[in-house]
Amino acid sequence: MKDEALQAIYDAILRRDPGEDEFHQAVSEVLDSIAVVLRERPELADERLIERLCEPERQLVFRVAWEDDEGAVQVNRGFRVEFNGALGPYKGGLRFHRTVKLGTMKFLGFEQTFKNAITGLGIGGAKGGSDFDPRGRSDREIMRFCQAFMTELYRHLGEHTDVPAGDIGVGARELGYLFGQYKRITNRYEAGVLTGKGIGWGGSHVRKEATGYGLVYFVREMLARRGEGLEGKKCVLSGSGNVALYAIEKLHSLGAKVVACSDSDGTVHDRDGIDLALLKQIKEVERGRVRDYAERRGAEYLEGQRPWAIRGHIALPCATQNELDVDDVAKLVENGCKVVAEGANMPVTPRAIDLLHEEQVDFGPGKAANAGGVATSALEMQQNARREVWTFGDTEAHLAQIMKDIHATCAKTAEAFGAPDDYVLGANAAGFIRVAETMRALGVV
Ligand code: NDP
Ligand code: 2IT
């Protein structure tokens, strides 16, 4: 870090919370970006604002005990990190994955704070989840786990307090069980307490599609700046979950062709373009693997591999953190890749981001590029508060405009600080300025 004062703050974080590598990585990137902001606006660091910004407002860690189908008791750990509530109720998803630990929740809550800020909407940053592994669990086990999880979490939630949604391993099914238990315990039909609900019981049209669609809208803006469009562009992406599926849907509807996607077991390379109906049937209905897709479709399956060695003009990591490293960038560049944008949170490693910048590959960071999901969650909260249901078309038009605005904010902010092509700087600086100005206005808390 070039700035000594920021380096000292960062060193203190390393000493205080050793072992939280992902959190350190997220903080380091933001502190790197805001050095230029603080040179022009040193007052934004007054009263230990940066130290306060890097310390979650509240960290909840709790036991989740539940019974599996054999009647054996299982014990997991649950988390909710309410990172920053300056801009509104804490807002951010829940992740159920065996790798989840406190440092993962902190990194995601920290990122969420800036992401939510650049949407321009009134939402604070949070993240939660559990080290529960849904793979191989029956529907009833998932339900009992969700009920046990919510039995602890409910006391911390509320439409004006903290509003979770989905993330890895938490989709419509889990949100239904979570909402059902919240309603049972509190005896309140408080729709605005969770987002990503089903249509018909308080959910918003387009929330399911929003992260993937929003990502593609963001990429469209990145291309437009270079006088290009999506038509005919070949794309490779990782993951085959919520974000990946709806990114594919929007890419195909705008004339691009996705030739690869993946899950944690391997990658499918489908030269004819992914058959989205088949992929959705396998992933959303059968809860199967991309291996099954490759078999049924007669496409190539690359066991244990990620998709970054496959040729494409656009690469979209949509699975998990640190899934695209320097070696992958080298392969992508060799194969003519010109645009990388993050559907997942922090999927590209810091060294890989540096290399993308060096190679002049356009890079859209997740804080900006995947913000369509949480932005549409905020639209769901608005509808719930007004007891309204907007149409699919109206909601999608809102989302498209929000992504356009986010892109413009990042580009404008990057330019103002002398690095017009650096969306990382633009996103971090814009998010920081909004949160920091609000924290100053709210006093030392
Ligand atoms: P899903 O659970 O629907 O899908 C996750 C996909 O990523 C699956 O294909 C999964 O494969 C793969 N994956 C997960 N963990 C790993 C891993 N450790 N290694 C390799 N592959 C992995 O989650 P989402 O699509 O909702 O989330 C994907 C990413 O997008 C996450 O980073 C999330 O934080 C981010 N995001 C999600 C938003 C949303 O609205 N849902 C909003 C903004 C960002 P497998 O099935 O084998 O585990
Ligand atoms: O990472 C994210 O932005 C999400 N998982 C969505 C959060 C939300 O509250 O919709």
Side-chain angles (χ1 to χ4, degrees):
M1 223 161 280
K2 288 183 209 103
D3 184 292
E4 269 178 40
L6 292 174
Q7 182 68 50
I9 293 172
Y10 182 62
D11 289 343
I13 292 169
L14 294 183
R15 276 197 304 276
R16 197 173 189 189
D17 294 311
E20 295 183 348
D21 299 354
E22 294 164 336
F23 178 56
H24 302 156
Q25 182 181 332
V27 169
S28 160
E29 184 200 284
V30 170
L31 296 189
D32 257 339
S33 291
I34 65 174
V36 289
V37 180
L38 293 177
R39 240 172 275 147
E40 281 184 24
R41 310 236 358 230
E43 77 283 3
L44 293 181
D46 285 353
E47 293 171 326
R48 302 212 155 204
L49 192 144
I50 311 298
E51 287 91 329
R52 285 187 284 136
L53 187 60
C54 294
E55 180 68 13
E57 289 180 14
R58 194 173 294 111
Q59 306 181 56
L60 307 161
V61 184
F62 50 94
R63 181 177 68 209
V64 187
W66 57 284
E67 243 179 65
D68 69 17
D69 284 346
E70 275 69 54
V73 173
Q74 300 284 339
V75 182
N76 286 101
R77 189 170 283 177
F79 303 92
R80 185 72 177 166
V81 173
E82 297 177 335
F83 215 105
N84 192 300
L87 292 174
Y90 302 111
K91 185 82 197 86
L94 297 172
R95 176 178 294 192
F96 293 168
H97 195 269
R98 63 190 154 69
T99 56
V100 163
K101 49 194 183 302
L102 184 60
T104 316
M105 300 286 97
K106 282 176 67 180
F107 119 63
L108 288 161
F110 184 76
E111 293 279 295
Q112 197 82 45
T113 299
F114 300 95
K115 182 196 303 190
N116 294 3
I118 54 178
T119 64
L121 301 162
I123 38 180
K127 203 77 184 192
S130 174
D131 60 0
F132 170 69
D133 184 359
R135 261 183 94 166
R137 289 294 176 191
S138 71
D139 199 65
R140 282 299 160 128
E141 288 177 319
I142 301 280
M143 183 178 81
R144 285 196 296 276
F145 176 80
C146 288
Q147 291 174 342
F149 182 86
M150 185 53 92
T151 301
E152 174 56 32
L153 189 63
Y154 86 96
R155 69 190 86 244
H156 305 290
L157 306 184
E159 61 180 320
H160 302 296
T161 310
D162 185 349
V163 184
D167 193 79
I168 292 177
V170 179
R173 172 179 62 168
E174 291 74 19
L175 289 166
Y177 296 148
L178 290 164
F179 185 66
Q181 183 71 353
Y182 181 88
K183 189 176 89 58
R184 172 160 75 174
I185 297 172
T186 60
N187 193 32
R188 283 167 66 86
Y189 204 108
E190 193 182 340
V193 79
L194 281 179
T195 61
K197 298 179 296 296
I199 309 294
W201 46 277
S204 173
H205 286 294
V206 194
R207 176 61 190 91
K208 180 176 68 175
E209 295 84 356
T211 311
Y213 280 19
L215 172 66
V216 178
Y217 287 134
F218 192 88
V219 169
R220 186 167 66 172
E221 294 299 314
M222 291 171 77
L223 288 168
R225 231 174 147 204
R226 310 216 170 258
E228 291 181 38
L230 278 163
E231 187 74 40
K233 294 282 188 317
K234 207 192 240 194
C235 311
V236 293
L237 56 76
S238 64
S240 48
N242 174 266
V243 179
L245 288 175
Y246 292 93
I248 298 173
E249 184 161 290
K250 187 50 77 182
L251 284 165
H252 284 180
S253 80
L254 295 175
K257 180 156 99 169
V258 180
V259 294
C261 66
S262 67
D263 55 28
S264 55
D265 295 335
T267 288
V268 58
H269 183 188
D270 189 341
R271 288 179 173 74
D272 298 332
I274 298 287
D275 175 343
L276 186 60
L278 177 60
L279 186 64
K280 276 190 184 174
Q281 167 67 23
I282 290 170
K283 284 289 169 183
E284 292 189 326
V285 182
E286 300 168 20
R287 295 182 185 275
R289 315 297 302 159
V290 297
R291 185 192 302 110
D292 306 330
Y293 172 94
E295 270 168 27
R296 280 198 230 168
R297 174 95 164 148
E300 187 181 5
Y301 179 64
L302 306 160
E303 175 78 29
Q305 290 187 40
R306 291 173 180 164
W308 314 129
I310 297 169
R311 177 176 286 275
H313 187 96
I314 299 169
L316 304 175
C318 297
T320 193
Q321 60 270 21
N322 293 325
E323 54 163 320
L324 200 162
D325 208 346
V326 263
D327 301 346
D328 303 312
V329 172
K331 279 181 255 163
L332 287 170
V333 169
E334 203 180 299
N335 281 328
C337 177
K338 298 287 184 222
V339 179
V340 174
E342 296 183 321
N345 286 305
M346 211 170 73
V348 183
T349 66
R351 285 172 59 224
I353 295 175
D354 288 345
L355 187 58
L356 287 169
H357 283 150
E358 268 168 47
E359 296 285 350
Q360 296 181 338
V361 175
D362 252 358
F363 173 64
K367 276 186 205 86
N370 73 34
V374 76
T376 308
S377 279
L379 302 181
E380 183 170 329
M381 290 161 73
Q382 279 181 33
Q383 292 169 73
N384 293 153
R386 296 161 64 162
R387 295 184 181 278
E388 286 178 358
V389 181
W390 304 348
T391 64
F392 194 98
D394 283 349
T395 318
E396 195 182 355
H398 270 283
L399 169 64
Q401 187 60 47
I402 289 169
M403 295 313 296
K404 218 173 166 165
D405 292 347
I406 291 174
H407 178 273
T409 299
C410 293
K412 207 171 62 197
T413 310
E415 208 167 314
F417 289 104
D421 295 329
D422 189 344
Y423 287 104
V424 176
L425 174 67
N428 287 335
F432 167 70
I433 291 169
R434 182 163 181 234
V435 178
E437 284 177 345
T438 309
M439 284 176 70
R440 273 169 66 77
L442 300 189
V444 177
V445 285

